[in-house]
Amino acid sequence: MSKGFRQSQAFLHTWSGMLLGWILFLVFVAGSLAFWREGLNRWTRPELARIEQPMRVLAGSQAFLAKTAPDAKSWFIPIVTDRMPGAQLFWVPQPKPGEERGRGRHGGRGRRDTQALIGANGQVAHARDTRGGEFFYRFHFDLHYMPVIWARWIVGFASMMMLVAILSGIVTHKKIFKDFFTLRRGKGQRSWLDGHNATAVLALPFHLMITYTGLVTLMALLMPWAVVANYTDERVVSSALFPSATVAERTGRAAPLIDLRRIAADAEHRLGAPASFIEVSDPGDAAARVTVSQSFGSMLSSRTPRLAYDGVSGNLVWRSPVPGAAAETAGVMIGLHAGRFAGYGGRWLYFLCGVAGTLMVASGLVLWTVKRRERLPDPERPHLGFRVVERLNVAVIGGFPLGVASFFWANRLLPIALGGRAQWEINMLFIVWSMSACLAFVAKPRHVWPLLFTATGVLLASLPLYDSVATDRGIVVMLARGDLMMAGVDVTMALFGFAFLAVAHRVARHRPKARGVRASRTADARVLEPAE
């Protein structure tokens, strides 16, 4: 492979990663947290008991809906596990004249008055209003404070640039695996490059997989031409990709709905795997139908099988067909990206690889400024473009984790009865992040880096202490109860808090070595050689 070609790939690698690196950093941080969204959903509602009898919750959900929304068009009931805080129900009212059948004005999901949370005792749970881990899951591809379609285009384009950066990086470094085992400390830009290479190669298969499958999840948005060329009706596309049982017409004759626990047990027996979701159409009517979906955690593909039952007799009336090759491939790609199939060991692997990806992006962004500072005529007085990039690095890499830590503290400290409490938790993240960004642009980076990292470390490390003192969900109590998920969240926060404090200490003590112009240029030329 020619040196000139590798050099051209080095240029492509640098700029494809640099221009959208700040978006990629946000996506990696939020996406890594999203692998534990069930745990964060529970941790952000410490007043809720752990689920130990899922069928009790299902019975309570059915009783609540039968009393609250007996004439609804449809009910949606998750079958809970011990990872979940409870069953988040929602229902869709009967459509009004002129509205599309089965949808209603708001579709159920967006209305507070058509949702409820059923706790471990089968009763309505009164818990603090929070988005919990769901916020990070949605943020990593929908961002926030902007139209979803814009956000997904931005994230999609950033993901394409990430894929280009990974592939060009592989081509550029012909000694990439040797570089993985090389880590020189205290060597300036050489140390940053070693760290960047190590975190990139450590989880290289994961980085390739998560980036490519992330693009697959957005393929209908990024590459809609196959659908446009073959379909003119969106409903036809939906029925082809997501087949469902024929909807029976509502009869108007009242009939009792079968016990959903019997339906769930029969579905799990037929599917040979746990069920995760129940949809009931026209409950209380003779034409009621109950559709059960297999758990996402039971298989790699996200296109899980479904069964439909007569809601009165309980007889099986429909089984979802085997998906075609294209649909199955897309389902596997989405399943790989989401990682819902993984157990605790697999979740930890996903999470740690996501952390490696976060460090890879962060070190790449910092490396850009470290390398170019030594090439400046006067490193102490850099030009405007360099200053903007350097301060954006501080604002994003140092500020966003502080905002995340503030989100968790807002969950604990905001008044329970505060109106719009869930949104205020999110607002606090962005308020603190904005303040950090302002500080990054008005103060010198060498002072702001350790300050932000120290603040993040203190906030994260002190959260478990607060839980132990102010709540009955401390680490010791949770370990005594065998609740490893809740204890694990606190332990992980403490470990990351100490890690941020260690980084802050290291950064605060760092003193760049003065180097001659000739030596700087020689060393820089060696670093930029693609053979290294």
Side-chain angles (χ1 to χ4, degrees):
M1 188 178 295
S2 70
K3 181 177 180 180
F5 177 72
R6 286 201 306 271
Q7 192 68 48
S8 68
Q9 294 304 295
F11 177 86
L12 182 61
H13 176 75
T14 297
W15 290 104
S16 60
M18 177 65 201
L19 295 177
L20 290 167
W22 301 293
I23 296 294
L24 290 172
F25 180 82
L26 303 181
V27 170
F28 261 100
V29 171
S32 300
L33 290 170
F35 290 129
W36 294 110
R37 63 171 170 164
E38 294 95 343
L40 290 175
N41 285 342
R42 285 196 59 213
W43 186 89
T44 52
R45 296 180 177 91
E47 50 275 302
L48 297 180
R50 181 173 58 168
I51 302 294
E52 296 182 354
Q53 300 180 46
M55 289 300 104
R56 182 180 183 184
V57 180
L58 178 57
S61 300
Q62 182 175 0
F64 171 82
L65 288 170
K67 180 180 179 180
T68 305
D71 298 321
K73 178 57 187 172
S74 53
W75 298 345
F76 298 88
I77 308 171
I79 299 178
V80 297
T81 67
D82 60 358
R83 292 181 177 182
M84 302 167 65
Q88 185 67 55
L89 316 177
F90 71 94
W91 57 95
V92 177
Q94 286 290 340
K96 298 178 182 179
E99 290 181 338
E100 186 176 348
R101 184 173 179 80
R103 291 184 178 268
R105 183 179 177 185
H106 297 278
R109 286 184 181 269
R111 292 176 49 172
R112 290 285 181 183
D113 61 342
T114 59
Q115 299 182 47
L117 179 67
I118 304 299
N121 59 1
Q123 304 297 317
V124 175
H126 299 286
R128 65 192 66 194
D129 187 19
T130 180
R131 292 279 301 280
E134 298 300 323
F135 166 71
F136 297 105
Y137 170 70
R138 301 298 302 187
F139 180 81
H140 99 278
F141 59 91
D142 280 352
L143 303 180
H144 203 67
Y145 298 131
M146 68 170 59
V148 169
I149 190 70
W150 294 6
R152 294 189 181 182
W153 269 109
I154 292 171
V155 172
F157 185 67
S159 299
M160 285 190 281
M161 292 299 98
M162 176 70 177
L163 189 60
V164 170
I166 293 173
L167 296 176
S168 58
I170 294 173
V171 173
T172 299
H173 300 286
K174 72 175 184 179
K175 297 180 181 179
I176 188 169
F177 290 102
K178 178 183 177 181
D179 289 341
F180 169 62
F181 295 101
T182 304
L183 187 60
R184 285 155 285 198
R185 301 176 61 186
K187 300 295 183 181
Q189 65 176 268
R190 184 72 254 185
S191 298
W192 280 108
L193 185 60
D194 287 347
H196 181 66
N197 289 338
T199 53
V201 180
L202 176 66
L204 180 58
F206 174 84
H207 298 330
L208 284 169
M209 179 276 292
I210 208 71
T211 304
Y212 179 75
T213 55
L215 287 169
V216 171
T217 65
L218 298 173
M219 63 182 179
L221 173 67
L222 302 177
M223 295 185 294
W225 307 289
V227 174
V228 172
N230 291 278
Y231 298 93
T232 57
D233 191 336
E234 183 179 321
R235 289 171 297 184
V236 176
V237 181
S238 180
S239 63
L241 294 176
F242 308 102
S244 59
T246 302
V247 178
E249 291 293 329
R250 186 178 182 88
T251 64
R253 298 194 307 273
L257 184 68
I258 191 171
D259 189 338
L260 295 180
R261 291 174 295 181
R262 290 178 52 192
I263 296 288
D266 183 79
E268 291 183 350
H269 176 73
R270 293 177 185 271
L271 293 170
S276 66
F277 203 74
I278 292 178
E279 177 182 354
V280 182
S281 61
D282 293 312
D285 188 82
R289 289 287 184 271
V290 180
T291 304
V292 184
S293 301
Q294 183 173 318
S295 171
F296 291 114
S298 63
M299 60 188 298
L300 179 57
S301 176
S302 64
R303 306 290 172 89
T304 56
R306 293 183 297 157
L307 303 173
Y309 294 82
D310 184 290
V312 177
S313 66
N315 296 328
L316 181 68
V317 298
W318 178 83
R319 181 188 291 267
S320 60
V322 177
E328 183 67 11
T329 300
V332 169
M333 293 294 102
I334 296 171
L336 273 172
H337 186 83
R340 297 190 185 101
F341 66 92
Y344 283 115
R347 293 291 180 94
W348 272 110
L349 181 61
Y350 264 75
F351 176 70
L352 293 176
C353 288
V355 172
T358 304
L359 295 175
M360 175 186 67
V361 174
S363 60
L365 290 169
V366 173
L367 180 61
W368 189 94
T369 59
V370 171
K371 289 167 61 175
R372 279 153 182 78
R373 179 180 291 279
E374 295 189 2
R375 297 163 60 185
L376 294 173
D378 185 356
E380 295 301 320
R381 292 181 175 84
H383 54 78
L384 177 61
F386 181 91
R387 293 201 302 271
V388 170
V389 171
E390 186 177 39
R391 283 158 172 76
L392 278 174
N393 282 349
V394 180
V396 175
I397 300 172
F400 185 67
L402 181 58
V404 172
S406 302
F407 172 92
F408 293 135
W409 270 102
N411 173 264
R412 289 296 190 257
L413 299 181
L414 287 177
I416 301 297
L418 178 66
R421 188 182 188 281
Q423 184 57 47
W424 271 109
E425 289 182 0
I426 299 170
N427 291 342
M428 285 303 300
L429 185 158
F430 287 97
I431 290 171
V432 173
W433 184 18
S434 299
M435 294 171 62
S436 302
C438 291
L439 183 62
F441 275 88
V442 299
K444 292 183 178 181
R446 67 173 177 267
H447 298 147
V448 183
W449 278 118
L451 177 62
L452 295 182
F453 285 151
T454 299
T456 303
V458 169
L459 290 181
L460 290 177
S462 58
L463 266 169
L465 179 61
Y466 175 87
D467 281 347
S468 297
V469 173
T471 74
D472 61 348
R473 295 292 192 271
I475 294 176
V476 175
V477 174
M478 290 296 99
L479 289 175
R481 296 178 183 176
D483 195 342
L484 298 182
M485 174 172 278
M486 288 288 283
V489 174
D490 271 344
V491 170
T492 302
M493 287 189 178
L495 291 176
F496 272 87
F498 295 140
F500 271 103
L501 290 174
V503 171
H505 178 70
R506 179 83 178 177
V507 172
R509 292 183 58 190
H510 175 70
R511 295 294 182 270
K513 296 180 180 179
R515 302 176 62 183
V517 175
R518 183 181 299 272
S520 294
R521 290 178 178 175
T522 302
D524 191 58
R526 288 199 303 268
V527 171
L528 290 176
E529 287 183 2
E532 292 188 7

